[in-house]
Amino acid sequence: PLCGAQAAIRALRSEYLRGEHNKHAPEVFISAKSSAAARALEGQTEVVRALAKSSVSPPAKSIRLLAEGEAPPAGCALANAGADVSVHVLLAGVIDFAAERARLEKEAGQIQN
């Protein structure tokens, strides 16, 4: 779960926190769908935080393992980090969601044509 979580954080950051947002240190929430995954991640958030940083972007502001059944805050981008782990990067207040939706719709239109 550790490698999957750090890879998902890096992927979300490279997708959404580009250009002017590259230096933003996001809040990250990790959801474990099994008790085994939760145990593997428990106490390892600082390790994931260190592994998820890159040479051009700072480490996440914080990484928190969500309690069972706890939902991440609204305004997060989601990536699956394996069968039992999901990563949520908070983008609310950083990304213009209307512009991002338009970009994704344009991209989807290009793929369909």
Side-chain angles (χ1 to χ4, degrees):
L2 296 177
C3 289
Q6 68 87 17
I9 294 167
R10 283 175 165 246
L12 288 171
R13 289 183 80 165
S14 70
E15 176 71 21
Y16 295 106
L17 298 176
R18 303 182 299 266
E20 66 189 66
H21 303 298
N22 193 22
K23 298 297 182 190
H24 176 70
E27 292 180 65
V28 177
F29 302 87
I30 300 176
S31 174
K33 299 172 190 151
S34 72
S35 58
R39 281 192 306 276
L41 289 163
E42 211 167 77
Q44 299 297 318
T45 57
E46 285 303 311
V47 173
V48 173
R49 184 174 179 262
L51 292 172
K53 75 180 187 79
S54 74
S55 60
V56 296
S57 59
K61 179 179 179 180
S62 64
I63 297 181
R64 187 165 71 82
L65 184 59
L66 297 171
E68 186 177 339
E70 182 182 4
C76 286
L78 165 69
N80 287 319
D84 292 339
V85 178
S86 297
V87 170
H88 310 267
V89 174
L90 186 60
L91 300 176
V94 178
I95 300 296
D96 178 348
F97 288 113
E100 185 62 19
R101 181 176 284 120
R103 180 188 76 80
L104 292 171
E105 287 172 353
K106 179 180 176 184
E107 195 174 290
Q110 290 172 347
I111 291 170
Q112 291 174 352
N113 293 331

